[in-house]
Amino acid sequence: MLSAIIALAVLAIIFGLALGYAAVRFKVEGDPLVEKIDSLLPQTQCGQCTFPGCRPYAEAIAKGEADINQCPPGGETTIIALADLLGRDPKPLNPENGEEKPKRVAIIDEQVCIGCTLCIQACPVDAILGAAKHMHTVIEQECTGCDLCVPPCPVDCIDMVEIKPTLSTWKWDFPTSLPEDLANLANRIDNTEPAPSHNAHQAPETTAPAKATKAASGGER
Amino acid sequence: MRRLFNFHGGVQLRQHKRESTATPVIPAKIPKTLILPLQQNIGNPAIPTVKVGDKVLKRQIIATAAGNVSVPVHAPTSGKVIAIEDYAVPHPSGLKASCIIIATDGMDISRRRESRFLNYQDLSPEQLRELIHQSGIVGLGGAGFPSHLKLATERNRVDTLILNGAECEPYITCDEMLMREQALEIVEGLIIMRHALQAPRCIITIENNKPKALEQIKLAVKHCNVDFIEVVQVPTVYPAGGEKQLIQTVTGKEVPSQGLPIDIGVVCHNVGTAYAIARAVEHGEPLVSRYITVAGSVAKAQVLEVLIGTPVSDLIEQCGGNRKTLSRVIMGGPMMGFALHNVDVPIVKTTNCILVNSTIADVPLPSRRQHALPCIRCGACAQACPVDLLPQQLYWHTRAKEFDKAQDYNLFDCIECGCCDYVCPSHIPLVQYYRYAKNTIWQQDREKKLADVSRERHEFHKLRLEREKQERAERHKKKRQAVSSDTVQDDKKAAIQAAMERARTKREQSDTAPKNIDQLTEQQQKLIAEVDQRREKERSAET
Amino acid sequence: MSLNTPTSPHIHDDTSVTKMMLRVLLALVPAVIAHCWYFGWGLLINISITVTTALICEYGLLLLRQRPVTPFITDGSVLVTAVLLAFCIPPLAPWWLAVLGAGFGVIIGKHLYGGLGYNPFNPAMVGYVMLLISFPKEMTTWLPPHLVQDLNIGLWASLNAVFTGQLPVGFTLDSITAATPLDLVKTQLGLDVTIAETKNANDVFGDFGGIGWEWIGNWIFLGGVWLIYKKVIAWHIPVALLGSLFTISLIFFLMDADHYGSPMFHLFSGAAMLGAFFIATDPVSAATTPKGRIIYGIGIGLLTYIIRVWGGYPDGIGFAVLLMNLAAPTIDHYTQPRVYGHKRS
């Protein structure tokens, strides 16, 4: 009886030492998890996930304080990528955080802008150019569509406009032709009604106000 | 007799070519309006050189190339520029793009020919390429890559120049008619291209279902009396005319994945491109028209010589199609062509065929009638794939949106020929899944790059705020320090003193006697006296 | 005018899942006729029961799973499952055996996994193996073939036997049941009787298989070859399966003919032929790459022989197919074809 205990204890000590040594000697320096998670997020810095930016959200996921389905701008793609990285099951976007919308950019109506710089201070990526009592304008290429500049504006001169697809940014929709993918079977070929999934992505109408200046013209992104 | 090789897979299709090859090629009617998109090629769009209201002559340049990966656009006939604006262009999206719109005058007056009748052999390969570049020639087989770039030898030496006369898709017969009617020009174009590439060997490939074209080409080669051209018949199977499959058939070599044919010393051009090059170099004619097949539910299926920019509706009308009863119009062939949203889009340089399908169907395109069933893993798609991929695996992973795994199965090697889709018993739109996957992966890459830039900007934004905070703190610290030390106090005191002195001198110097005191009441005088007294008192207290 | 804008390709081959399944059924017709000639009406009754059960189960489950019914009911795959299962059940087996087998196969073997295209196991084999393990006695009481013993059980009597268990007048259980040749050989070998002696003592053996069985095997073979010609199935699995079964049985036969059956005996006995052309070639559960299919076929052939000779069951096809179904995804993963433009690695 005693010999059995001693034998097992000795074995445990030997293996414990071996594992400890291996843990130190063969340690692999990898990317910390937070970096990996952050590289999958869309960097919109909008705060819809309830964290003040993408990096804090990444840190929260790494600590286990946040779920992977809280990012509306990232949408399904980001959820699947995070699920893949962390070895979890993907789940649908949490509706409490918002819904997945097409990419939008902010446009300042220069006729109304009073030059108060409140939006400049609000922008997390410094995409608004301007100074106090000088005209403000959004650098379209840098705008991430986070919506943070809209509430602070005292004269409500900022509009969020959807980016129209151009020939080089247009893409096909997901083909939904299988019976199990459709809620009700949509006839495809022999109808005169074009099937929605095969139709081109219709360019959405811009909602910019009529007085929008050149800065408001939809451009490439 | 050259030994031919087989490529994996492929399907046998009913050809439907006899309808449009029974009669010779006729010129298309000059339409009322011509719409010239500025981008008809892979690369950058051209830059307009005309303004609205300008009169243009046939073959006059109306837009210059924007750099090397771009070609100029020329006016196909004489007329007036009525607009330079966004107009619907032929693209699966149905979106608009920038176009020059010309109202034709029907006179078809050409510009005065600028270049002399050149002997191209006097030109160096670089000069020849530049001439081809300025003639607006792109790959007329459908890809639209600027042809002068495919005649360059910087990347690698060229061993074999292949002219693709295979034309494997059903219904399309424009290359066949071109070979039957313009065989000599095609061969001359080939010889010019060879001069640019300095290639030792040339091969013209023709599918074995085009005996008349073969005959004409052979005669033309004999007439040119050169020993480096070989005419090869390839078996009729779809997609024998695909560049990679054709190269494998004729040379047995495979183009490396994600590489170009020039990496194995081969360059492949379409016979139409060769013809356009011959016209450009020998006759100074830039590319303004091309042969196009119109087939399907039209009274007379036909190959026409069409001006670039002709609206599709005009062509359909000329061939006896009824605009009101159209149900589907395809630009391209039935395997790889795309359906148009709008029949008023123009013909572009890369269009080779218009297929018409009418609701009053007399010769309908067979269409998929069934709804898709799940994949039963029969493997017919893998058997048919000319690139030897596993379409069923690509399909499973694309459907699950696992794009990484799809790329592991070599998604980007897919040439979207449609063979897998054609044979699938479950009628799954396989190629559509792959197109979706490729587009999504490209979009994700684009977004990732933008996200990286946004992250950097955000980091800098945080840094900037930190920095400003620190600077503010520094300034506050300096101010506080200034307030607390003695020397500063003394300096301050002295400054205050000096200021008070200045104020006093100013007061004493200036006339401080009150004004408008001529007619004062007694009470007012009394008040003034009191104020004066008070002032005296204070002044004496100060000193 | 709004134009139809479907995506390319705009033409399609004249093929469909229904066509494929109907062709498979057509290829089985000669075998069914031969089976009925040798063994009476039992098979047709069993087919009716299994087909009815399978269709009812399929319909019910499609409704339960809220899937569109028409495209799936008309694809014919459940008919093939039902007919193949009927082949594996003894002709005068009680009706509930057929019902259970068909129901289990369709519900558990197919729909539980997601329906057509999603099942990892062959549904007919799932049903068959469940019956074999749960009801060994009913599953091994086969009839003697026509040429051996002229039973002449009419249709009404067969229906009676199947549905009520009542034996036909004048027959006892002993007189109408017989073991299959494979079963006979196995039990006799266990009693140390050599194959040659078994053959002499019993007249159930024909030229190379069991009487009747060899002819059914022939018709199945011809039907299978026709399917390959029509490109409904690929040649890889049948050739690999039969080839490996032939080879391994030849090796052992040459070593010791007394205790190991001849290759022809193995090829034409039991469900080897049926398995090679109809069961193992079920596209959903088999391997899909060409090389993978060959490995898959070889695996089934070898496993069948091993189970037949050294295992506990007279015929190993059912288990062999299910075991190789397990391995199919791995086989596919490691036998990917070399893609054009990639180096031969």
Side-chain angles (χ1 to χ4, degrees):
Chain A
M1 175 67 188
L2 190 62
S3 55
I5 296 174
I6 294 174
L8 279 175
V10 166
L11 272 175
I13 293 171
I14 295 174
F15 282 122
L17 284 172
L19 282 172
Y21 174 71
V24 173
R25 169 82 172 76
F26 298 111
K27 188 169 160 64
V28 177
E29 288 298 335
D31 271 343
L33 187 62
V34 175
E35 301 283 342
K36 287 197 196 137
I37 294 176
D38 193 35
S39 70
L40 294 174
L41 296 176
Q43 304 304 318
T44 313
Q45 319 292 352
C46 60
Q48 285 183 77
C49 54
T50 72
F51 294 92
C54 298
R55 181 84 194 196
Y57 179 45
E59 287 166 2
I61 295 179
K63 280 197 221 133
E65 292 166 7
D67 207 348
I68 59 173
N69 65 343
Q70 293 176 222
C71 178
E76 199 185 353
T77 325
T78 306
I79 294 173
I80 291 180
L82 284 172
D84 221 9
L85 175 71
L86 301 167
R88 299 188 209 167
D89 282 326
K91 36 170 104 151
L93 182 64
N94 191 341
E96 287 173 29
N97 294 99
E99 43 177 48
E100 196 172 352
K101 289 194 283 259
K103 184 87 191 292
R104 306 189 305 176
V105 289
I107 291 187
I108 292 174
D109 185 355
E110 291 170 8
Q111 301 295 332
V112 186
C113 173
I114 57 171
C116 67
T117 75
L118 286 174
C119 61
I120 296 179
Q121 292 164 46
C123 178
V125 292
D126 290 343
I128 305 184
L129 208 55
K133 301 226 184 81
H134 286 68
M135 183 51 61
H136 300 341
T137 191
V138 176
I139 307 174
E140 216 178 287
Q141 270 128 312
E142 307 299 347
C143 173
T144 61
C146 68
D147 288 3
L148 288 175
C149 55
V150 180
C153 178
V155 294
D156 202 18
C157 70
I158 305 186
D159 282 293
M160 299 305 293
V161 170
E162 264 182 36
I163 300 179
K164 281 201 274 197
T166 62
L167 281 180
S168 48
T169 57
W170 176 85
K171 69 180 266 288
W172 289 102
D173 285 335
F174 184 69
T176 49
S177 60
L178 294 176
E180 50 254 52
D181 287 337
L182 291 169
N184 50 350
L185 288 178
N187 291 324
R188 284 187 341 193
I189 308 296
D190 294 318
N191 263 359
T192 47
E193 201 63 63
S197 61
H198 291 292
N199 249 351
H201 179 92
Q202 294 300 324
E205 290 305 309
T206 170
T207 55
K211 287 188 270 179
T213 58
K214 272 197 225 125
S217 60
E220 264 224 305
R221 175 79 211 223
Chain B
M1 196 48 208
R2 175 175 277 268
R3 179 188 163 205
L4 294 179
F5 301 82
N6 278 329
F7 61 85
H8 181 268
V11 287
Q12 289 292 345
L13 300 173
R14 284 184 53 215
Q15 296 295 300
H16 293 284
K17 304 222 184 202
R18 220 164 296 172
E19 298 96 355
S20 51
T21 52
T23 48
V25 178
I26 55 170
K29 295 200 189 99
I30 300 178
K32 287 206 178 58
T33 352
L34 283 173
I35 304 127
L36 283 319
L38 290 174
Q39 177 152 29
Q40 297 182 41
N41 53 281
I42 291 177
N44 303 320
I47 304 167
T49 53
V50 292
K51 304 183 305 293
V52 176
D54 283 357
K55 283 211 167 59
V56 291
L57 297 170
K58 182 171 181 140
R59 300 203 179 97
Q60 175 183 335
I61 192 165
I62 56 175
T64 49
N68 213 14
V69 194
S70 178
V71 293
V73 180
H74 301 82
T77 190
S78 51
K80 190 163 91 156
V81 177
I82 53 173
I84 302 180
E85 63 182 14
D86 282 355
Y87 193 90
V89 291
H91 189 264
S93 63
L95 289 173
K96 301 183 178 178
S98 198
C99 299
I100 298 177
I101 302 177
I102 297 176
T104 59
D105 56 16
M107 316 268 272
D108 207 29
I109 308 172
S110 292
R111 60 153 167 71
R112 199 162 45 91
R113 203 164 284 172
E114 291 150 1
S115 50
R116 300 139 318 279
F117 194 81
L118 290 163
N119 188 0
Y120 69 89
Q121 276 142 348
D122 294 338
L123 297 172
S124 69
E126 287 80 23
Q127 288 170 317
L128 194 54
R129 281 198 281 274
E130 189 50 31
L131 175 58
I132 293 170
H133 181 196
Q134 292 307 322
S135 305
I137 298 176
V138 298
L140 295 181
F145 195 67
S147 301
H148 69 285
L149 293 174
K150 253 172 107 170
L151 292 170
T153 49
E154 281 111 33
R155 191 163 160 139
N156 197 8
R157 226 196 73 245
V158 176
D159 183 66
T160 314
L161 169 60
I162 298 179
L163 219 52
N164 187 347
E167 201 167 52
C168 50
E169 255 189 285
Y171 289 100
I172 307 184
T173 49
C174 52
D175 286 350
E176 182 178 348
M177 293 310 283
L178 190 68
M179 287 192 282
R180 274 162 63 168
E181 301 199 350
Q182 309 287 355
L184 193 56
E185 299 264 19
I186 293 173
V187 177
E188 286 175 358
L190 175 62
I191 299 173
I192 295 170
M193 289 199 284
R194 177 190 178 266
H195 178 76
L197 283 172
Q198 301 288 300
R201 262 193 304 271
C202 298
I203 303 177
I204 305 180
T205 58
I206 305 175
E207 264 191 347
N208 58 16
N209 61 355
K210 307 186 212 320
K212 289 192 188 149
L214 178 70
E215 200 187 306
Q216 292 298 317
I217 291 282
K218 278 194 171 147
L219 282 173
V221 171
K222 206 156 149 198
H223 177 91
C224 287
N225 209 6
V226 286
D227 61 348
F228 49 74
I229 301 181
E230 194 185 336
V231 181
V232 173
Q233 267 202 318
V234 292
T236 303
V237 63
Y238 178 83
E243 190 179 61
K244 294 186 171 173
Q245 281 63 43
L246 190 66
I247 292 173
Q248 186 176 25
T249 308
V250 165
T251 64
K253 292 192 259 189
E254 292 183 8
V255 178
S257 166
Q258 306 304 312
L260 295 170
I262 197 166
D263 293 334
I264 49 171
V266 176
V267 171
C268 196
H269 280 274
N270 179 267
V271 287
T273 315
Y275 174 71
I277 288 177
R279 295 306 299 180
V281 172
E282 293 184 345
H283 304 270
E285 289 175 12
L287 178 62
V288 292
S289 65
R290 64 161 295 158
Y291 281 28
I292 291 179
T293 304
V294 178
S297 307
V298 286
K300 176 77 190 70
Q302 179 82 52
V303 177
L304 303 106
E305 185 168 9
V306 183
L307 295 178
I308 311 286
T310 305
V312 170
S313 46
D314 282 35
L315 279 183
I316 294 177
E317 214 178 288
Q318 186 174 350
C319 291
N322 188 348
R323 195 196 161 115
K324 293 195 189 51
T325 61
L326 295 174
S327 71
R328 188 176 9 160
V329 179
I330 296 168
M331 183 175 279
M335 293 296 282
M336 291 180 76
F338 60 91
L340 294 173
H341 289 263
N342 176 354
V343 262
D344 295 313
V345 292
I347 295 288
V348 291
K349 291 178 181 174
T350 50
T351 308
N352 53 8
C353 183
I354 300 289
L355 285 177
V356 178
N357 190 205
S358 175
T359 51
I360 307 173
D362 40 22
V363 186
L365 285 181
S367 59
R368 283 177 283 191
R369 280 169 287 276
Q370 298 187 0
H371 304 291
L373 284 176
C375 167
I376 59 170
R377 304 180 67 76
C378 64
C381 53
Q383 279 174 352
C385 179
V387 187
D388 217 349
L389 295 168
L390 287 177
Q392 69 269 53
Q393 293 302 119
L394 289 175
Y395 164 70
W396 284 114
H397 291 304
T398 303
R399 225 178 123 217
K401 305 206 180 147
E402 295 167 349
F403 298 116
D404 284 339
K405 294 219 184 80
Q407 283 184 282
D408 285 341
Y409 278 98
N410 307 111
L411 171 71
F412 283 102
D413 283 320
C414 168
I415 60 174
E416 295 178 29
C417 64
C419 287
C420 53
D421 199 315
Y422 182 80
V423 296
C424 177
S426 295
H427 292 248
I428 300 173
L430 290 167
V431 186
Q432 200 46 30
Y433 280 92
Y434 310 146
R435 284 197 198 107
Y436 163 76
K438 289 183 194 175
N439 277 190
T440 309
I441 293 172
W442 285 328
Q443 187 196 50
Q444 282 176 352
D445 283 345
R446 265 200 310 266
E447 286 180 352
K448 183 110 203 323
K449 288 204 183 78
L450 291 171
D452 286 341
V453 170
S454 292
R455 188 184 305 116
E456 264 183 53
R457 287 189 77 89
H458 183 63
E459 296 296 318
F460 184 77
H461 169 83
K462 287 204 291 219
L463 200 69
R464 178 176 66 86
L465 290 178
E466 255 323 297
R467 191 183 63 197
E468 281 179 7
K469 210 158 77 174
Q470 272 184 356
E471 284 176 0
R472 222 174 301 145
E474 283 287 324
R475 276 204 303 270
H476 282 310
K477 212 161 95 184
K478 279 211 190 85
K479 270 203 193 130
R480 262 198 306 272
Q481 281 179 343
V483 167
S484 59
S485 73
D486 284 333
T487 44
V488 178
Q489 282 282 19
D490 285 341
D491 281 337
K492 244 195 179 160
K493 265 204 181 136
I496 293 171
Q497 201 74 352
M500 279 169 62
E501 285 289 334
R502 276 202 304 276
R504 201 183 320 123
T505 16
K506 204 170 170 193
R507 266 202 309 269
E508 283 167 1
Q509 277 175 359
S510 64
D511 186 1
T512 50
K515 318 230 177 353
N516 65 355
I517 47 168
D518 294 326
Q519 285 155 1
L520 286 170
T521 59
E522 232 182 56
Q523 189 150 22
Q524 281 172 326
Q525 282 179 346
K526 216 169 145 189
L527 280 168
I528 290 170
E530 275 177 27
V531 171
D532 279 339
Q533 265 184 339
R534 226 181 17 248
R535 227 185 252 148
E536 267 308 313
K537 228 201 238 164
E538 280 186 35
R539 223 172 270 152
S540 54
E542 265 178 33
T543 50
Chain C
M1 132 220 70
S2 79
L3 291 176
N4 249 328
T5 52
T7 50
S8 71
H10 303 276
I11 51 177
H12 202 280
D13 200 8
D14 196 15
T15 173
S16 67
V17 176
T18 313
K19 265 213 172 86
M20 278 176 69
M21 295 298 152
L22 289 178
R23 285 204 172 126
V24 169
L25 290 175
L26 199 64
L28 279 171
V29 164
V32 168
I33 296 174
H35 197 287
C36 289
W37 196 78
Y38 281 108
F39 296 102
W41 294 100
L43 180 67
L44 282 176
I45 301 172
N46 275 334
I47 288 180
S48 330
I49 301 175
T50 51
V51 165
T52 317
T53 317
L55 281 172
I56 293 174
C57 290
E58 177 111 326
Y59 182 75
L61 263 121
L62 284 172
L63 286 178
L64 259 178
R65 289 174 59 215
Q66 292 167 338
R67 293 278 181 271
V69 173
T70 317
F72 287 113
I73 277 275
T74 53
D75 68 22
S77 57
V78 80
L79 294 176
V80 173
T81 304
V83 171
L84 289 176
L85 184 65
F87 258 100
C88 297
I89 299 177
L92 286 186
W95 60 274
W96 47 265
L97 205 69
V99 168
L100 265 179
F104 190 84
V106 169
I107 298 175
I108 309 278
K110 186 171 162 192
H111 277 281
L112 223 59
Y113 287 103
L116 177 71
Y118 295 98
N119 44 297
F121 298 109
N122 188 320
M125 287 301 102
V126 168
Y128 169 66
V129 160
M130 183 279 286
L131 290 177
L132 197 60
I133 296 178
S134 315
F135 308 102
K137 179 163 151 291
E138 283 87 349
M139 286 296 283
T140 50
T141 44
W142 291 81
L143 288 178
H146 158 77
L147 293 176
V148 171
Q149 193 175 331
D150 215 339
L151 289 172
N152 217 352
I153 304 173
L155 175 59
W156 186 246
S158 307
L159 280 168
N160 221 3
V162 168
F163 284 99
T164 62
Q166 230 173 13
L167 291 173
V169 174
F171 291 99
T172 63
L173 198 61
D174 271 340
S175 65
I176 64 161
T177 56
T180 59
L182 272 177
D183 201 356
L184 193 62
V185 163
K186 199 175 183 73
T187 41
Q188 296 295 16
L189 280 175
L191 300 170
D192 259 336
V193 178
T194 66
I195 292 186
E197 288 167 4
T198 315
K199 275 197 172 168
N200 286 331
N202 292 287
D203 46 6
V204 289
F205 290 88
D207 297 321
F208 38 83
I211 291 185
W213 289 106
E214 60 194 5
W215 269 108
I216 298 171
N218 272 337
W219 286 116
I220 292 179
F221 178 80
L222 288 174
V225 168
W226 179 75
L227 282 182
I228 295 178
Y229 167 69
K230 278 291 179 188
K231 294 203 170 62
V232 177
I233 59 178
W235 59 265
H236 305 81
I237 295 178
V239 166
L241 199 158
L242 296 174
S244 64
L245 188 59
F246 184 88
T247 313
I248 189 170
S249 54
L250 185 68
I251 294 172
F252 283 94
F253 179 70
L254 290 176
M255 286 195 327
D256 181 359
D258 279 337
H259 294 98
Y260 296 102
S262 77
M264 291 310 269
F265 171 69
H266 274 285
L267 282 184
F268 282 91
S269 302
M273 278 293 167
L274 191 69
F277 290 98
F278 292 89
I279 298 178
T281 52
D282 169 41
V284 183
S285 47
T288 58
T289 61
K291 274 192 258 182
R293 283 176 168 165
I294 293 181
I295 297 175
Y296 176 81
I298 292 175
I300 297 181
L302 294 178
L303 279 171
T304 305
Y305 188 79
I306 291 170
I307 297 174
R308 276 181 181 179
V309 174
W310 296 289
Y313 288 87
D315 193 4
I317 278 279
F319 298 104
V321 167
L322 287 181
L323 285 170
M324 290 311 286
N325 283 158
L326 278 173
T330 311
I331 295 175
D332 275 340
H333 180 77
Y334 287 107
T335 55
Q336 290 172 39
R338 182 195 68 86
V339 175
Y340 177 105
H342 290 258
K343 292 215 173 19
R344 286 160 219 279
S345 53

